[in-house]
Every structure is written in structure tokens, then in C-alpha cells.
Amino acid sequence: MPQPAIHPVILCGGNGTRLWPLSRKSYPKQFARLMGEESLFQSTLRRVAAQGYALPMIVTGASSRFIVAEQLAAIEMVAQDVLIEPAGRNTAPAVLAAALRLAEQDENALMLVLPSDHMIPDAGAFRRAVTAAVPRALAGDLVTFGIAPTRAETGYGWLELAAGGNAGGDQPQALARFIEKPDLTRAEQMFADGKFLWNAGIFLFTAKAILAAYRTHAPQMLDYVQDAVAKAQEGAGFTTLAEGPWNKVEDVSIDYAIMERASNLAVMPYSGGWSDLGGWQAVWQESGPDKAGNVTSDRTTAIDCHDTLLRSETGGVELVGIGLDDIVVVAMNDAVLVARKSDSQRVKEAVTILQAQATKQARDFTGDVRPWGRFDSLTRGKRYQVKQIVVNPGAALSLQSHKHRAEHWIVVEGTARVTVDGRVRRVRANGAVYIPQGAHHRLENPGKQPLVLIEVQTGGYLGEDDITRYSDVYERV
């Protein structure tokens, strides 16, 4: 009998705090180009785009749904389903919602649960490990993946093998218990012992087996999430879980809610390359420092520096380091991080302080991704703001109006179809159009190339919430 298809379930949430300022709540690290030309999310998708794998199911938040769609399209991939969480509730409810959706088609469906922000360079080796774990999953076990440790790491949870287990084995092993993030002394003991693995947060099981585990260990969560799935709304390529029952769900990880309580556990050791890129020190390490221990990006210069990471993420910003040791510097157009590399885990503290000060940079960038394209704020004053707007080929903004501002549009590239109070006209490169305050207007790109324009907003209030939509193909309100 042929092996049933493996259904990747990609968890795509997160607060984006550990790799600030490149990663933020509005654009978490899985979407950023941390290593190479593609994002971690896109690399995860490619890792499971292979024979024997079904199209992926993605679980994400409302604020990330259009980023997910954009990055899927950029690598010409599609998902079988994109589940939208009305609010972040950690991994246990997210996995449960995916299991319920898959069980509607086949309760014996194999689920491979993957974080979207891990780096696994050898996709083939990873898939071989998954294949080795399939028989145990089909037999009803809950299989977790354990990483062969390379150091006494305090930032990860650990897994203890049962007596007689082989941490270097190529088949699933019996699992004794999960261990929370240890202190350094305990981590050193486990690393030296050789019977412990890092907890990767990757799982393989059937929908039937994991639903049975929720029924036993988290019955109330099962009731609420079943209700949220049953009342979900589908549209614009997404399945949005019902907000009412979802908001009653406990915020808890699948490790704590299920795995630490279940008895039908197994662990699949994996000794290939792996990193969760959980901080700037990890990015430095995985980027391959040069002979002086430095990692540099474009638009950076290191002079007499050692063990240092320099990244300039904005064209036009040249970053120079002189005489630096054990330092991380990340420069963006609206924020700069400077820290000892050994203190890079404390970046979360900085984000917490910025949030308490209501600093916009704590969670948002100057631009944003929208279903029709993207915008970037170029400059802003008390009563004006200048943006660059890019509209994808064939895309259209909603028919809308603004109460507090007028807009001036100058087309830079492409041709725009512009509607203002019922009048439709085309505006080509170097052309301009004025949108009076309160006018009903729409911007469309009828061409096959991106439409680029400069928008100048003027008025007493320039917030993104000053918008009334009358018609929207993306079903926003």
C-alpha cells in the first residue's frame, strides 16, 4: 500500500521581537530575508514542496494574511487552506484548528506541523527524517522531532530519551519527557550526557491521533475550537475562524497542553543543520563569519572589527564600524539597534520599553503590505505625508473616501485607472490627479507591470483608519 500524503501545517504567527528592528509585530521574522534571497517562510514552503507531500495548510493572523498571499505568489506556490486566527492563542489552538479542518476530509490524514521561521539547509535530509517517522505516526503515536545538540543551549526546551534510547539514531525513539528551558548548569549536564535533544517544535501525527489527545487532555479547548471552525467564514482565499468562540480559547503551547501529558510519544532524532534563528547572535553564527569573525551586508564597512555583525537594511544608508568587538549593529530607515552580541537576547526588553512608550517602531514599519501591493511612507509632517505606492498588475484598491484628508497622486511608472466621484480616466507616467477630501475614489492597475506612484496627503488627520470603504474585492470593511 502506498504511503498516504503528508499534509504540511505551517504555523505562521509570532511577535517579531527577538530580531527587532528587522522583524516586528507587523512583519515577523519568518517573512524577512534573513538568510539569502527568500524569506524563512518561503524556504519552509519549498522544503515540503516534494513528491508525497500535499499542498500546505497555513495558520496565521489577520495582520499577516496578505503577506502570506504575497510571498506564496512570489514563489508561484499555492496553499490548500489559509486559516486566519482572530487573535494569537499560541500553538495548541492553531494545531487543533488545522487538525479539525483536515479531519473533515480524512481523519487519518498525516499532519507535519512546522514553524515557519526555522532554518534547515538540507531539505532532503529533513524529508528523509520525516519519512522515517511516518510508520510510528500511522501507528497512532505523536512524533516530535529532536535536534542533536551542538552546545549547552539555554534558549531551547530539551527532550529526554527513554532508557536505551539513541540520540544519534535514524529511527524514532521512545521519549521520556519534555524539559523546559534549563539554566546553564543543567544545560551543560544534558549536553554532556548525550541522551538529550533540543525540542524543535516540529511534529508528525495523524489528525485522528491528535484529536484524540485533545479530547483527553484539553476537552474545553476542543469544544471552543470546533465551534470556531464550524462557524468560520471563507472568502478572498482565506478561512477566518469565528471570533467569538476563538477568543474563549486558552493561550497555551501544544507542548504544555498536549505533549507533556500524552503517553503515546516518540521522538525522531535529526542531526542535520537546524536553527530557529532566535536572536542576532544566531544570525551571526549561521551567516558564516569571516576570518575576523565578522558578518557584513551590502552597504557596510568593517574596519578593525572582530566578532561583529553589521547589517544595513535600507538603500542609501551606509553603515561603518570601526574598532568593534562582539557587537551587533542593524540599521534601518526608522530604527537602529546597537548591542553586544552576547546581549542580543535582551532585544525583547528594548521592544517592551518602546511599546510602553507607545513608540510606533516597536511593532510597525514605515510601510505595509496590502492585498493590492504595498506602500512606504517617505516623509511626514504635521499636516502632510508623502508615500510611495506600488499596485500589483491587475490589482485594485477599494472604492473609498477620506473625511480628513485630500490626496495628490503623481504616476511614476505604469498607467493608472482612476475613478473620482464616478468619473473614470487613465493617468500615465508623469501625469497627476487630485482627490478632494470626501471624494469617492478608486485606484486600479490595468497593466501587466507594477504601477508606481507618489501620493501626497494633506489634512488635519492622516491616520490609516481615516477610510470608508464602499466596495472592496478583498472583502475588507
Side-chain angles (χ1 to χ4, degrees):
M1 176 181 289
Q3 175 184 301
I6 298 169
H7 294 260
V9 175
I10 300 176
L11 305 181
C12 218
N15 293 318
T17 57
R18 292 190 292 177
L19 289 175
W20 186 90
L22 179 62
S23 168
R24 307 184 195 182
K25 177 69 174 177
S26 65
Y27 206 86
K29 71 173 182 177
Q30 63 263 26
F31 301 123
R33 293 178 180 175
L34 277 166
M35 312 288 291
E37 292 302 311
E38 292 185 344
S39 70
L40 296 174
F41 170 60
Q42 290 170 322
S43 296
T44 303
L45 290 167
R46 289 198 187 279
R47 194 174 305 132
V48 291
Q51 185 176 1
Y53 286 77
L55 293 176
M57 175 179 289
I58 298 165
V59 186
T60 191
S63 62
S64 297
R65 65 195 189 279
F66 296 124
I67 305 174
V68 165
E70 178 190 61
Q71 295 210 347
L72 278 165
I75 58 174
E76 299 182 336
M77 294 185 69
V78 296
Q80 65 168 293
D81 206 352
V82 180
L83 299 183
I84 305 300
E85 301 174 287
R89 287 293 183 268
N90 215 314
T91 56
V95 172
L96 176 53
L100 288 166
R101 288 287 288 185
L102 284 173
E104 292 174 359
Q105 307 168 31
D106 180 8
E107 66 174 7
N108 293 311
L110 272 170
M111 299 174 57
L112 176 64
V113 177
L114 298 163
S116 59
D117 57 357
H118 290 183
M119 187 183 76
I120 302 178
D122 191 340
F126 175 73
R127 290 193 296 268
R128 287 191 292 274
V130 173
T131 299
V134 165
R136 290 293 291 268
L138 290 176
D141 285 340
L142 309 180
V143 183
T144 184
F145 286 71
I147 307 300
T150 57
R151 60 187 180 275
E153 177 61 54
T154 61
Y156 302 150
W158 290 63
L159 304 168
E160 181 180 1
L161 299 181
N166 179 10
D170 59 1
Q171 296 296 318
Q173 308 288 312
L175 176 62
R177 63 184 174 126
F178 285 71
I179 299 172
E180 297 295 328
K181 295 177 182 178
D183 60 26
L184 181 58
T185 299
R186 179 62 175 141
E188 289 173 341
Q189 291 171 347
M190 291 189 291
F191 180 54
D193 185 277
K195 296 295 184 182
F196 296 84
L197 300 166
W198 290 338
N199 180 7
I202 300 171
F203 306 98
L204 181 71
F205 35 65
T206 64
K208 181 179 180 180
I210 195 64
L211 289 176
Y214 278 95
R215 198 172 295 115
T216 300
H217 303 294
Q220 188 176 61
M221 180 183 296
L222 179 60
D223 289 341
Y224 290 144
V225 177
Q226 279 181 322
D227 198 18
V229 170
K231 297 175 180 175
Q233 300 292 317
E234 299 191 29
F238 308 109
T239 301
T240 302
L241 302 169
E243 184 174 6
W246 187 261
N247 287 341
K248 298 176 183 177
V249 174
E250 183 182 3
D251 185 328
V252 62
S253 71
I254 189 173
D255 285 358
Y256 183 79
I258 303 298
M259 298 298 169
E260 294 180 10
R261 307 178 187 191
S263 58
N264 55 329
L265 296 174
V267 57
M268 180 64 215
Y270 180 70
S271 57
W274 173 90
S275 175
D276 75 341
L277 296 179
W280 284 114
Q281 183 161 0
V283 174
W284 168 83
Q285 182 175 343
E286 297 298 331
S287 297
D290 64 18
K291 292 181 180 180
N294 296 322
V295 172
T296 57
S297 73
D298 293 339
R299 302 179 300 277
T300 65
T301 302
I303 301 173
D304 193 24
C305 294
H306 301 87
D307 299 327
T308 288
L309 171 67
L310 301 177
R311 286 184 71 127
S312 175
E313 297 294 331
T314 302
V317 175
E318 194 70 21
L319 174 60
V320 178
I322 302 176
L324 303 178
D325 286 284
D326 185 44
I327 295 294
V328 170
V329 184
V330 182
M332 304 195 71
N333 65 340
D334 65 339
V336 177
L337 169 70
V338 182
R340 283 191 296 268
K341 182 160 51 63
S342 52
D343 281 338
S344 61
Q345 286 295 330
R346 300 183 62 191
V347 170
K348 292 186 290 186
E349 295 178 32
V351 176
T352 299
I353 292 170
L354 293 174
Q355 288 174 335
Q357 297 170 347
T359 304
K360 184 179 184 295
Q361 288 92 327
R363 58 169 294 144
D364 296 320
F365 288 98
T366 55
D368 201 0
V369 174
R370 295 298 167 89
W372 41 261
R374 63 175 60 239
F375 74 82
D376 289 285
S377 180
L378 304 179
T379 186
R380 182 168 184 155
K382 187 176 181 179
R383 292 182 57 85
Y384 71 90
Q385 179 172 208
V386 181
K387 291 181 177 181
Q388 176 182 276
I389 295 177
V390 180
V391 184
N392 295 330
L397 282 66
S398 60
L399 181 65
Q400 59 186 257
S401 67
H402 309 295
K403 293 181 180 179
H404 304 288
R405 70 174 185 256
E407 295 175 345
H408 304 253
W409 296 344
I410 303 170
V411 176
V412 178
E413 297 177 14
T415 299
R417 180 188 292 128
V418 178
T419 302
V420 181
D421 285 335
R423 182 190 173 195
V424 180
R425 62 185 176 117
R426 289 179 178 260
V427 182
R428 293 178 170 81
N430 296 320
V433 62
Y434 172 60
I435 311 297
Q437 184 174 320
H440 292 205
H441 61 281
R442 186 197 298 273
L443 174 64
E444 302 171 74
N445 179 3
K448 297 182 179 180
Q449 301 297 323
L451 166 66
V452 182
L453 58 89
I454 300 300
E455 176 183 86
V456 181
Q457 301 176 352
T458 58
Y461 178 72
L462 305 173
E464 293 299 324
D465 56 346
D466 178 22
I467 181 171
T468 301
R469 290 190 176 94
Y470 306 99
S471 174
D472 183 57
V473 296
Y474 310 106
E475 301 179 12
R476 297 170 296 169
V477 295

